[in-house]
Amino acid sequence: MANACGVDFGTSNSTVGVSRPGRPTLLPLEDGKLTLPSVVFFNAEDDQVSFGRAALVNYLAGHEGRLMRSLKSLLGTSLIDGQTEVLGRAVPFRQLLQQFIGELRQRAETASDQSFAHAVIGRPVFFIDNDAKADRLAEQTLADIAAAAGFRHVAFQFEPIAAAFDYESQITREELVLVADIGGGTSDFSLVRLSPQRARQADRRNDILATGGVHIGGTDFDKYLSLSSVMPLLGMGSRLNNDSEVPSSYYFNLATWHTINLAYTQKAWLQLNDIARDARARDKLERLMALIRERGGHWLAMQVEEGKIALSQAESVVLDLDRIASCPHLTITRADFDDAIAHLMGWVESTIAALLRDAGVDASAVDTVFFTGGSSGVGSLRQRVARLVPDARQVEGDLFGSIGTGLAIDALRRFG
């Protein structure tokens, strides 16, 4: 068997796949499960590091320490060259990413009983919107990190193209397919001609009619749902005695997965104390300060994320906010959620429309929309896509596994 694998390092969840005749492609990475949540927890009590679901369990159990999530969102930003305090020492963010990808590789090798020197790693169409230089730098940074984690040879593939390879393995005739990959950090799209015959070709460049993407994903849905529904309970939008608004930066940091820890810095805490003394809605600011004092930002983000997921099926959901004084429960409706993310849906819609124009393809020519990515179950998103390509049938792939499977197929083609 080839010592090459496909690695889907995701904002929220990660997978590793390897093409093995007669055996499942995706490898079990944690307690028999095929996904490893992209989470790291540094336990200050026993100086141990845990990953994935175990990291979340340790954090929610109340152990003192530091939780890191959505590390992929650092790629392409100035934060990637920064550092954070972990267990009393400064740790570069690059080192944190290397540690997580190294853990992915080690678990995959254990699960498959083989070593992996080569990898095809998935990447969004754009790490950073409208900045080609930053995008190239983000890919090179990820390549360097993967090499430091033990992969000798690394290639990249656009995540929606990888998902297309997975779908292609399931069809019996040629189709023009719009792949919609809505992940945790980005929404990526590809228009691809697929067929069993084309799948035998080594060079698929002529089959890819257009690719596009926007830096919007599930963590953004979480953020704007939190900002619109939860953060007002903590004083967002309220006024100070001089009639200016309470600075929104505290709320944006708490609502954004990869910046939550910024709310816990000593500088932010001292500034917040000054602001709270001058706040008209003092009770709300006291709730905010209590949440920060207890390092409850990740807990709150998890409640919002669970609510978002539930609203894909239910018309309303009740968030359990028992750690916030006087606010044990909050009811959020699907209409609330749709309103909160409406502006994001507009950007997604315009990205797809531009993709069709770039390809010179009429919407009526699209046979299938293939949805993948953990955030593609949002109902309003699917409705927007359906309006753009009304004649196309909608197919739901493995929301968390299609990309990893396709990357494994690509790894076998590239490395043998």
Side-chain angles (χ1 to χ4, degrees):
M1 290 185 290
N3 59 347
C5 63
V7 178
D8 177 19
F9 169 44
T11 301
S12 300
N13 292 278
S14 297
T15 63
V16 180
V18 57
S19 289
R20 302 172 294 176
R23 301 182 66 183
T25 299
L26 295 182
L27 299 171
L29 299 177
E30 184 178 24
D31 298 330
K33 296 180 174 61
L34 304 180
T35 61
L36 181 69
S38 302
V39 185
V40 184
F41 181 68
F42 300 88
N43 192 323
E45 297 173 10
D46 57 14
D47 199 21
Q48 295 293 314
V49 181
S50 54
F51 301 87
R53 294 170 186 82
L56 292 171
V57 168
N58 287 334
Y59 169 76
L60 292 174
H63 295 296
E64 184 68 25
R66 189 70 176 273
L67 186 77
M68 303 293 293
R69 190 173 179 183
S70 297
L71 293 170
K72 185 178 179 181
S73 298
L74 298 170
L75 291 167
T77 74
S78 59
L79 288 175
I80 191 62
D81 293 316
Q83 57 190 26
T84 187
E85 183 180 321
V86 173
L87 305 183
R89 62 182 184 274
V91 178
F93 284 120
R94 287 174 183 259
Q95 183 178 325
L96 294 178
L97 267 71
Q98 176 188 328
Q99 196 166 3
F100 183 80
I101 291 177
E103 183 72 15
L104 272 179
R105 177 173 174 265
Q106 179 180 332
R107 292 186 183 212
E109 290 181 340
T110 299
S112 63
D113 196 26
Q114 66 180 109
S115 62
F116 294 119
H118 313 306
V120 176
I121 299 179
R123 57 150 293 170
V125 174
F126 299 114
F127 282 103
I128 298 294
D129 297 337
N130 304 316
D131 191 335
K133 182 178 179 180
D135 189 77
R136 289 192 298 271
L137 180 60
E139 181 178 284
Q140 185 58 54
T141 299
L142 184 53
D144 294 342
I145 289 169
F151 290 112
R152 292 205 311 270
H153 299 97
V154 173
F156 289 95
Q157 180 59 268
F158 290 140
E159 289 159 354
I161 298 298
F165 292 155
D166 177 41
Y167 178 64
E168 188 173 50
S169 68
Q170 308 167 35
I171 61 178
T172 58
R173 62 178 180 85
E174 181 167 310
E175 296 182 22
L176 180 59
V177 180
L178 172 63
V179 179
D181 169 27
I182 317 299
T186 59
S187 295
D188 295 307
F189 307 94
S190 291
L191 194 62
V192 193
R193 293 195 186 281
L194 302 175
S195 74
Q197 293 73 32
R198 293 176 184 270
R200 303 189 188 106
Q201 301 173 9
D203 188 346
R204 302 299 302 277
R205 283 176 291 184
N206 291 335
D207 295 335
I208 302 170
L209 304 189
T211 58
V214 63
H215 206 255
I216 291 171
T219 56
D220 299 288
F221 302 159
D222 296 343
K223 175 169 73 174
Y224 284 99
L225 179 59
S226 181
L227 290 172
S228 65
S229 298
V230 178
M231 293 302 163
L233 300 175
L234 306 178
M236 184 174 179
S238 62
R239 297 282 172 177
L240 302 176
N241 288 329
N242 64 5
D243 204 38
S244 63
E245 193 170 289
V246 173
S248 62
S249 58
Y250 303 105
Y251 305 103
F252 273 82
N253 282 339
L254 282 174
T256 306
W257 276 106
H258 64 279
T259 62
I260 290 173
N261 288 313
L262 296 179
Y264 303 151
T265 65
Q266 184 178 17
K267 180 181 178 180
W269 178 252
L270 293 174
Q271 290 175 341
L272 185 58
N273 272 272
D274 290 339
I275 289 169
R277 283 193 291 268
D278 197 37
R280 292 179 182 175
R282 183 63 187 268
D283 58 332
K284 294 182 179 180
L285 269 294
E286 287 177 351
R287 291 174 190 161
L288 174 64
M289 294 177 68
L291 184 77
I292 293 175
R293 188 186 305 112
E294 297 170 7
R295 301 282 178 111
H298 287 94
W299 163 81
L300 181 59
M302 289 177 195
Q303 309 312 305
V304 174
E305 181 184 38
E306 289 178 6
K308 174 199 69 177
I309 294 170
L311 287 172
S312 293
Q313 303 294 328
E315 290 295 329
S316 65
V317 63
V318 178
L319 300 189
D320 183 0
L321 304 180
D322 59 344
R323 290 176 63 176
I324 299 178
S326 306
C327 301
H329 300 97
L330 175 66
T331 299
I332 302 176
T333 68
R334 186 182 295 174
D336 294 331
F337 178 46
D338 290 345
D339 288 344
I341 65 170
H343 65 296
L344 303 180
M345 294 299 97
W347 291 338
V348 168
E349 193 172 39
S350 62
T351 301
I352 297 174
L355 182 83
L356 295 171
R357 289 196 303 271
D358 291 344
V361 170
D362 189 88
S364 62
V366 178
D367 299 303
T368 304
V369 180
F370 181 68
F371 286 103
T372 189
S375 300
S376 66
V378 174
S380 58
L381 184 146
R382 294 202 180 192
Q383 292 167 11
R384 296 267 191 144
V385 174
R387 287 203 295 266
L388 287 170
V389 283
D391 298 329
R393 69 189 185 110
Q394 295 192 6
V395 175
E396 182 178 287
D398 182 341
L399 298 188
F400 297 100
S402 286
I403 293 172
T405 299
L407 291 171
I409 293 170
D410 201 24
L412 183 62
R413 288 173 179 164
R414 291 177 188 241
F415 297 113

